[in-house]
Amino acid sequence: MNKNKAGLSKVNILIIVATIIIIALILSFSFFKKDDSSVKNDLSQKIPTDAEILAQRPNISQDQNSYYDLLQLEGMIPTSLPQLVSNYSAGSTTSAQDKKDLRNIVLQYNKAFVLFDKSIDKPYYFCDDRVKKEVCNYTNIRNIALLNSVRAGVLFQDGKYADAMNTSLNTLKFAQKLQNPSDGLIEYIISLAIKRIALQRISTIIQSGKISKDAMSTYLNQISLYTDNKIGQRNVLKAEHLNGFTLYINAVSSGDYSTFFSYAGLDKNDQDMNSVVAQIEKIKNQSPITWDSSATYELLYKVYKNEIDNINLPCGSTYPSAWYPDSTLDYSKPTKNIIGQLLYTTSITELNSLNIQRCAIDELTNSVLSMFSTK
């Protein structure tokens, strides 16, 4: 009898303990589930501060940044090059006179090539927010890429096939460098344009049959280092959203646009931007309902998250958009978050076109790589 009681007592204790454990697990699961949900909600509404954003900005020393080398191109090359340069870089055939003119062009810009060659050894190209954007010399770097293609072509005409290929590979290497770290859409778009310039010249050289089989494998390995454009696209979309638009949102909330102006490379007296700011402040002062920073952040977050997700879709896909601006809104009226709608409608470009541009370069790259297997 005592043994039975003892046995029952042990069973009862085990049942009680098990019950307590189960209840504890249920309560803890409910708590953490609720806590996780609240964290998610907090994260969706939490807008990074200017300090948090700026802390993530690249800090690249001058001796590592080819921007400072290429800054010296200012005044060295014109903003508009002869059409002959563009045509030849795209692979068009040329007359004897054209070849002579192209050779003279190469000699004319010899000092610019010295700067470009020097810049190749630097690991980064980054025009940061301490300078005005027009000083980022985007036109110059595209033009030096075009001129470098002409230079490679002239070297090839002179029978210097290895030098011609290495000159073109330098252009391709520089294009890849523009993508990381990339400060904005324009750098990424220019990187794709420069990759096209380099790949077109490389394609012409390979098709000539002048490159030895021994050298082909080396060149294949080098080109393979510069095939990825998805990482750069993803980084630039994150930078556009986190840095550019979030700073813009914080500026509207605080009324202090100095940090946003600095990041955007805008002078504090920039007339166009100050006109926009004046319009925003005028509407915001009419009623507090005209501005909702969290709602605006959510609108922009969804667009950029969608665009980043679209990068993984196969080329040729239909890229769904999450950007649905309302063009019927009257931005002069103090309606609910009308300022946020204004930023949402006017500040975003059709970002999905980036996928089309990137896929075109991916296709060209694959085409060039396939040439190695047929030679």
Side-chain angles (χ1 to χ4, degrees):
M1 191 73 165
N2 290 337
K3 286 183 179 180
N4 289 337
K5 284 183 179 180
L8 286 173
S9 178
K10 288 180 180 178
V11 170
N12 289 337
I13 291 171
L14 289 172
I15 291 173
I16 292 170
V17 170
T19 302
I20 291 171
I21 291 172
I22 290 169
I23 292 171
L25 287 171
I26 291 171
L27 290 174
S28 63
F29 175 77
S30 299
F31 172 79
F32 285 114
K33 184 177 181 182
K34 180 179 179 182
D35 184 63
D36 180 62
S37 174
S38 65
V39 168
K40 287 182 179 177
N41 289 334
D42 287 345
L43 284 175
S44 66
Q45 299 299 322
K46 178 175 170 52
I47 303 172
T49 65
D50 287 357
E52 289 171 329
I53 294 168
L54 296 177
Q56 297 184 40
R57 304 291 292 130
N59 184 18
I60 300 169
S61 62
Q62 184 167 335
D63 63 332
Q64 298 287 300
N65 193 348
S66 61
Y67 159 76
Y68 293 98
D69 297 304
L70 298 176
L71 185 63
Q72 300 173 64
L73 291 175
E74 191 65 32
M76 229 180 240
I77 54 179
T79 56
S80 179
L81 295 173
Q83 187 62 42
L84 175 61
V85 170
S86 297
N87 293 344
Y88 185 64
S89 297
S92 66
T93 56
T94 53
S95 65
Q97 182 58 49
D98 285 343
K99 289 181 179 180
K100 183 178 179 180
D101 292 340
L102 289 167
R103 191 175 294 277
N104 288 333
I105 287 173
V106 170
L107 291 172
Q108 181 181 353
Y109 297 109
N110 186 57
K111 290 183 179 180
F113 293 135
V114 171
L115 289 174
F116 182 71
D117 291 345
K118 182 181 177 183
S119 76
I120 297 300
D121 295 329
K122 304 288 178 67
Y124 304 103
Y125 173 93
F126 186 67
C127 182
D128 64 25
D129 54 334
R130 289 174 291 183
V131 300
K132 295 178 67 176
K133 289 302 176 191
E134 54 264 35
V135 185
C136 290
N137 55 296
Y138 296 129
T139 301
N140 286 340
I141 61 176
R142 183 178 182 276
N143 284 347
I144 193 62
L146 285 167
L147 290 169
N148 210 47
S149 176
V150 174
R151 177 192 183 194
V154 170
L155 286 168
F156 184 82
Q157 291 170 24
D158 291 342
K160 299 177 180 178
Y161 307 131
D163 289 342
M165 181 63 91
N166 289 329
T167 297
S168 300
L169 286 170
N170 277 346
T171 304
L172 190 60
K173 180 180 180 180
F174 176 71
Q176 191 73 46
K177 185 159 51 179
L178 285 173
Q179 294 187 21
N180 184 33
S182 187
D183 194 38
L185 286 173
I186 188 167
E187 286 179 13
Y188 182 74
I189 291 170
I190 289 176
S191 77
L192 296 181
I194 293 178
K195 276 197 173 185
R196 179 179 293 280
I197 292 167
L199 290 167
Q200 285 171 332
R201 179 60 58 203
I202 290 170
S203 174
T204 301
I205 294 173
I206 294 173
Q207 288 176 327
S208 72
K210 299 293 186 180
I211 303 298
S212 69
K213 289 186 177 180
D214 291 338
M216 289 286 272
S217 60
T218 300
Y219 294 139
L220 174 62
N221 291 334
Q222 290 184 57
I223 294 171
S224 298
L225 296 173
Y226 314 122
T227 58
D228 190 286
N229 297 299
K230 286 186 176 182
I231 294 175
Q233 185 179 354
R234 189 174 290 109
N235 287 344
V236 76
L237 288 173
K238 288 181 178 179
E240 284 279 321
H241 173 245
L242 176 62
N243 299 344
F245 282 109
T246 307
L247 288 173
Y248 203 170
I249 289 170
N250 290 343
V252 175
S253 295
S254 66
D256 181 1
Y257 293 81
S258 57
T259 301
F260 170 72
F261 270 45
S262 174
Y263 168 80
L266 294 169
D267 186 273
K268 64 180 181 180
N269 298 316
D270 185 271
Q271 291 186 352
D272 292 336
M273 196 62 206
N274 275 306
S275 176
V276 174
V277 169
Q279 181 186 8
I280 289 173
E281 292 301 309
K282 179 181 178 181
I283 299 170
K284 191 170 72 167
N285 290 334
Q286 291 179 21
S287 170
I289 68 167
T290 60
W291 175 241
D292 186 331
S293 58
S294 295
T296 304
Y297 185 77
E298 281 295 306
L299 283 171
L300 296 168
Y301 176 83
K302 288 177 182 177
V303 172
Y304 280 92
K305 183 181 184 304
N306 178 77
E307 296 295 338
I308 291 171
D309 290 343
N310 283 348
I311 295 172
N312 293 322
L313 294 177
C315 287
S317 300
T318 299
Y319 304 107
S321 177
W323 184 45
Y324 303 109
D326 187 347
S327 59
T328 66
L329 291 172
D330 184 349
Y331 298 111
S332 65
K333 295 181 179 179
T335 53
K336 186 177 180 181
N337 198 30
I338 194 67
I339 297 172
Q341 290 292 337
L342 172 65
L343 300 186
Y344 176 73
T345 300
T346 61
S347 299
I348 300 177
T349 56
E350 187 50 63
L351 299 174
N352 266 323
S353 64
L354 281 181
N355 287 318
I356 298 170
Q357 294 180 60
R358 186 249 309 155
C359 284
I361 299 303
D362 288 347
E363 183 180 352
L364 178 58
T365 303
N366 292 332
S367 175
V368 170
L369 291 174
S370 68
M371 292 178 185
F372 286 90
S373 61
T374 59
K375 294 295 179 183

